[in-house]
Amino acid sequence: MLFRSTSTKEILRSILEQTEIPFYISAKNQNTFIGLCANILNVESSCKAAAFEVGISELGEMSVKADILSPTIALITKISYSHISQFGNLQNVAYEKRQLFKNFRDKEIGIIFGDQSILTDAHYAHPIARYGFKTKNHVQAGKIKINTDKNGKFVTEFNLRWYGQKAKVKFNSTHQGLLCNALAASTIAYFIKAPLCAVVKGIESYIGFDNRFEPKQLKNNLGTVISDCYNANPESMKAAISAFDKMNNNGKKIAVIGDMLELGDREIYWHRNLGKILNKADSINSIILVGSLVKYTQGMLLSDSCVTRVSDWQEAEEALLEELKTPNALVLVKASHGIALDKLVAKVVA
């Protein structure tokens, strides 16, 4: 199996751990040429399923990686503006990702996000499975509600429709993007014959991974930080802020938001649009902006009274500590990896 999403890969791992299927899943986000080849060499002959994450940074790269691995199942997650500076436009991104399927014929399965026309409108010479939130998809989440569990943690409850079968699921996140990744992992699980009970248990036991909307405890029992600073693009930023806004909290809510990188000649537009997104997040009490591009975000904010803009993660740490004067804080940290907000998170968590 070959696909491009660390969170999807890790949710699939959680599902397969509930089965008796011998499997191998590539480590962390080792999705370069070297990482892919190293992980292929680690697969034992006893494995019945092996899954690998692949990344792309230039045109033609996916085609080569598809040749190296020759997958029998391949999944494309949502087409987004990530790395748009290298590809020029979304059509080029979609074309490059579809090269995952370049060697597919009748027996191989291509899996796509079925809510996005740039994927569904393309012609495929092989079977296609679709996942998403619309009823046309083979795997779908419906009746989505955000609640708190008995421990006060935020969960998303939904009905999973899985190729005609149905189940109620509680997912340990309010992030719609992560929920979409859970649907993607569920679709893969169907084709490797994992039972529905394992799919449900695997989704429900997944608690986050490596700075992908990952909850962590702040020092001195001051509250919780939601670390989502592995990377950022306009779609993931919107999803993270929306999910954060929906989380109820009896203390202060603070958003630490940094630059989104590699957006090409529309970077100013997207950072201004980020300001509009933050304006709609009424539950956020304070905003700390980090970097140079977020000056355009600040210019779009309706109120500047609760906003601080700093140049780097060290200054962001100082600003955040000033905000953390009372307990029960809930903090979102989100930016492109190059802004290094993971270093900020490492300094403030227990």
Side-chain angles (χ1 to χ4, degrees), residues 109-347:
I109 304 295
I111 302 172
I112 61 173
F113 178 52
D115 294 355
Q116 202 167 25
S117 61
I118 198 170
L119 288 173
T120 58
D121 290 349
H123 172 74
Y124 300 97
H126 50 84
I128 285 291
R130 301 184 307 274
Y131 68 92
F133 301 102
K134 296 181 179 180
T135 56
K136 66 179 181 180
N137 294 305
H138 302 103
V139 175
Q140 176 211 348
K143 296 185 178 180
I144 301 169
K145 296 180 180 179
I146 295 173
N147 289 311
T148 54
D149 64 14
K150 60 183 179 180
N151 298 315
K153 293 184 178 180
F154 302 102
V155 297
T156 299
E157 298 179 355
F158 67 97
N159 290 344
L160 174 65
R161 185 167 65 85
W162 194 67
Y163 274 89
Q165 299 184 63
K166 296 180 180 180
K168 293 184 179 296
V169 185
K170 290 183 179 180
F171 186 49
N172 293 306
S173 177
T174 61
H175 194 296
Q176 191 174 47
L178 289 178
L179 175 56
C180 194
N181 291 340
L183 297 177
S186 301
T187 311
I188 297 171
Y190 176 83
F191 289 102
I192 55 179
K193 303 187 185 306
L196 179 57
C197 60
V199 171
V200 173
K201 190 173 180 179
I203 294 174
E204 293 189 335
S205 60
Y206 179 76
I207 57 174
F209 177 77
D210 195 24
N211 295 318
R212 276 85 163 175
F213 213 76
E214 179 186 11
K216 301 181 180 184
Q217 293 304 303
L218 289 164
K219 289 179 179 177
N220 303 317
N221 296 315
L222 287 174
T224 303
V225 60
I226 307 297
S227 179
D228 199 13
C229 51
Y230 176 75
N231 219 332
N233 58 55
E235 291 88 352
S236 70
M237 188 69 83
K238 181 178 180 180
I241 293 171
S242 175
F244 183 67
D245 188 37
K246 294 173 183 175
M247 298 169 73
N248 297 321
N249 194 57
N250 57 8
K252 182 181 288 188
K253 292 182 73 173
I254 307 162
V256 183
I257 304 295
D259 288 351
M260 299 177 289
L261 305 178
E262 300 181 3
L263 293 180
D265 57 9
R266 300 200 75 195
E267 63 183 12
I268 294 175
Y269 167 82
W270 286 118
H271 283 86
R272 286 176 173 164
N273 189 67
L274 176 56
K276 296 179 181 179
I277 293 169
L278 287 168
N279 285 332
K280 296 177 181 179
D282 296 330
S283 70
I284 297 176
N285 305 114
S286 299
I287 300 171
I288 300 171
L289 300 173
V290 190
S292 58
L293 291 170
V294 285
K295 66 183 178 183
Y296 301 107
T297 302
Q298 186 176 16
M300 297 298 294
L301 296 175
L302 297 177
S303 174
D304 212 22
S305 60
C306 298
V307 179
T308 303
R309 186 163 67 87
V310 298
S311 60
D312 54 34
W313 73 265
Q314 292 95 333
E315 292 182 4
E317 180 192 357
E318 294 178 9
L320 179 58
L321 292 176
E322 283 295 316
E323 294 284 348
L324 295 175
K325 299 295 187 182
T326 55
N328 300 319
L330 185 62
V331 183
L332 170 67
V333 181
K334 177 71 174 174
S336 286
H337 188 67
I339 307 304
L341 292 190
D342 56 317
K343 296 180 180 179
L344 163 64
V345 172
K347 295 277 281 185

Side-chain angles (χ1 to χ4, degrees), residues 1-3 36 40 50-52 54 64-72:
M1 289 170 284
L2 188 62
F3 52 91
L36 177 61
I40 290 173
F52 305 87
V54 297
V64 177
K65 288 180 177 177
D67 285 340
I68 290 172
L69 192 56
S70 296
T72 56

Side-chain angles (χ1 to χ4, degrees), residues 19-93:
T19 74
E20 297 181 353
I21 300 170
F23 70 90
Y24 177 85
I25 292 184
S26 59
K28 297 185 178 180
N29 62 320
Q30 296 177 0
N31 57 20
T32 64
F33 280 110
I34 294 174
L36 177 61
C37 294
N39 277 281
I40 290 173
L41 294 174
N42 285 333
V43 180
E44 297 181 357
S45 58
S46 60
C47 284
K48 299 298 183 182
F52 305 87
E53 177 187 355
V54 297
I56 51 174
S57 59
E58 59 184 34
L59 288 170
E61 186 175 356
M62 188 67 84
S63 177
V64 177
K65 288 180 177 177
D67 285 340
I68 290 172
L69 192 56
S70 296
T72 56
I73 301 171
L75 179 144
I76 299 175
T77 53
K78 186 176 181 180
I79 304 300
S80 71
Y81 284 89
S82 181
H83 310 304
I84 197 71
S85 62
Q86 292 97 319
F87 296 99
N89 55 54
L90 283 182
Q91 287 71 28
N92 287 342
V93 175

